[in-house]
Amino acid sequence: MADTAPRRASERAQAALREQILTGALAGGTHLGEVELAERLGVSRTPVREALTRLAAEGLVELHPHRGARVARFSEADLDDAFAVRTALEPRAVALAAARASAADLDELDDLATRMAAVGGPGPGQDLDALVALNRRFHARLVEIADTPALASALAGVVHAPVVLRTFHTYDAASLARSLAHHVEIVAALRAGDGHWASAVMVSHLANARAVMTGDRR
């Protein structure tokens, strides 16, 4: 197809910019100039423009007429809204995943949970940046395994806010320990094929994250 190369260039630009935003390399509020990005990514301005439009749909970029694009900033109200949506939808996704996960899926999730515990525990080996990336993959895999496009689409725009704000860098030791334990327990629930158990743990997991991010310890 004639548009294959431009489409691939746009997808590469989107993936590269998404990763830079989610890893904090591009901080909230950073101006995203099309010319500069095109030169840095080695593509023309058109793929960059398309990538920015798609990232805006994901909630990672803000597009302002006559002012260009900026990396999105998230307020406390934005976080509350994001966690409200996630609490309504993500427990449903993990319940579906419990019924649909293959042995290979479970092994992958188990490996991710184990690696998160290894890099997230206190001590000289703690690597919170690595934990952020592993956590993102863990939650994404749960949604993928649930295999429900409508759920995946609804969650796509709300899962990034805590990641952009570097969630684990704001956790205290007790909250981080709870979060790491939740991942392990979710895998155990999935191995048992118990969607109710998995869903309940996810509710607790999101409540823990919300309390950390908003300072709400209710």
Side-chain angles (χ1 to χ4, degrees), residues 6 9-10 13 17 32-39 41-53 68:
S10 176
L17 290 172
L32 300 170
E34 290 181 8
V35 174
E36 178 188 349
L37 291 174
E39 292 176 353
L41 297 173
V43 298
S44 68
R45 292 180 63 180
T46 298
V48 168
R49 190 177 303 117
E50 292 173 352
L52 292 174
T53 299

Side-chain angles (χ1 to χ4, degrees), residues 6-217:
R7 185 169 64 250
R8 287 178 178 171
S10 176
E11 290 170 352
R12 287 198 305 272
Q14 181 182 358
L17 290 172
R18 183 194 293 113
E19 188 66 18
Q20 289 175 33
I21 293 170
L22 292 179
T23 58
L26 291 172
T30 300
H31 177 70
L32 300 170
E34 290 181 8
V35 174
E36 178 188 349
L37 291 174
E39 292 176 353
R40 177 143 53 94
L41 297 173
V43 298
S44 68
R45 292 180 63 180
T46 298
V48 168
R49 190 177 303 117
E50 292 173 352
L52 292 174
T53 299
R54 291 173 183 161
L55 291 170
E58 294 181 22
L60 289 175
V61 167
E62 297 171 350
L63 299 178
H64 301 284
H66 312 301
R67 288 186 293 157
R70 293 187 180 277
V71 177
R73 289 174 171 164
F74 296 97
S75 66
E76 185 169 322
D78 293 329
L79 280 174
D80 272 334
D81 290 344
F83 277 113
V85 174
R86 290 186 67 182
T87 302
L89 299 180
E90 215 163 341
R92 173 61 177 161
V94 78
L96 291 170
R100 297 172 180 174
S102 67
D105 292 331
L106 293 171
D107 287 344
E108 181 182 0
L109 290 168
D110 200 356
D111 177 65
L112 288 168
T114 299
R115 290 163 64 192
M116 279 189 279
V119 301
Q126 188 177 66
D127 185 345
L128 297 181
D129 287 331
L131 179 57
V132 169
L134 290 168
N135 180 71
R136 176 155 46 103
R137 181 59 182 158
F138 184 88
H139 284 267
R141 281 298 292 136
L142 290 173
V143 175
E144 290 168 3
I145 294 166
D147 194 24
T148 305
L151 263 179
S153 178
L155 281 166
V158 296
V159 297
H160 294 315
V163 178
V164 171
L165 292 172
R166 318 298 287 152
T167 308
F168 293 112
H169 293 267
T170 62
Y171 273 55
D172 58 33
S175 297
L176 182 55
R178 277 194 297 272
S179 180
L180 295 172
H182 288 152
H183 294 128
V184 174
E185 189 173 0
I186 286 170
V187 176
L190 266 61
R191 284 200 184 278
D194 192 330
H196 293 294
W197 179 13
S199 178
V201 180
M202 182 59 77
V203 170
S204 295
H205 184 63
L206 293 172
N208 183 52
R210 181 187 179 281
V212 170
M213 294 303 295
T214 66
D216 186 349
R217 302 289 177 173

